[in-house]
Amino acid sequence: MSAVEKPDAQIGLMEGAAALPRKNGELVFAAPWEGRAFGLAVALSDERCYGWDDFRARLVDEIGRGPDAPYYESWLAALERVLVERGLVTSEELERRTAEYASGEREDHDHDHDHHHDHDHDHGEHHRHH
């Protein structure tokens, strides 16, 4: 029985079109959503929701479909594809959530949630209000 390489090790070894954008050896994210999309894809693979090679194959395909598209737009498209194909989310759910962000109904918050604020959504039981 051969040892299966952990997804974390495989991520850093991606080459060619799928190679992660780096500057001075460090990962580069142009916007906060890119880092979150990266983390989500890695975490879901770590949790065995899908195999890293499955995700990487879709990423290479997405990059091939739109070679001029920004890297993390291809990354997000690949993530959406693998989630829909695995039945973890429906395309309707993705469309609805995308529309919520586009309309401003749901905002992309880039702040620490360990404080009180007046926007209307649930942070779960782990959230503390001051």
Side-chain angles (χ1 to χ4, degrees):
M1 183 173 177
S2 63
V4 175
E5 195 167 7
K6 289 184 64 174
D8 288 347
Q10 294 174 333
I11 295 163
L13 299 176
M14 292 195 313
E15 297 176 339
L20 293 162
R22 295 180 186 268
K23 184 174 184 176
N24 296 325
E26 297 293 321
L27 293 177
V28 176
F29 303 106
W33 72 265
E34 294 177 350
R36 287 193 292 275
F38 172 82
L40 184 58
V42 172
L44 290 172
S45 178
D46 282 349
E47 291 297 319
R48 306 291 191 241
C49 293
Y50 52 81
W52 186 254
D53 287 339
D54 291 340
F55 172 77
R56 190 179 96 35
R58 284 161 185 79
L59 175 60
V60 169
D61 184 57
E62 288 297 331
I63 291 169
R65 290 178 184 208
D68 295 328
Y71 181 84
Y72 282 105
E73 285 185 19
S74 296
W75 181 281
L76 185 58
L79 178 59
E80 290 173 351
R81 277 179 57 194
V82 76
L83 293 177
V84 169
E85 290 169 8
R86 291 285 181 155
L88 298 170
V89 67
T90 67
S91 56
E92 292 79 17
E93 289 170 316
L94 286 173
E95 289 171 14
R96 185 180 73 246
R97 189 60 59 99
T98 300
E100 288 173 359
Y101 278 102
S103 71
E105 178 182 338
R106 179 177 295 272
E107 295 183 18
D108 185 12
H109 299 289
D110 291 324
H111 60 264
D112 180 3
H113 276 132
D114 198 22
H115 64 278
H116 179 71
H117 42 80
D118 58 3
H119 49 108
D120 183 2
H121 65 270
D122 179 20
H123 292 282
E125 293 182 23
H126 67 278
H127 181 67
R128 296 188 314 252
H129 289 280
H130 298 256

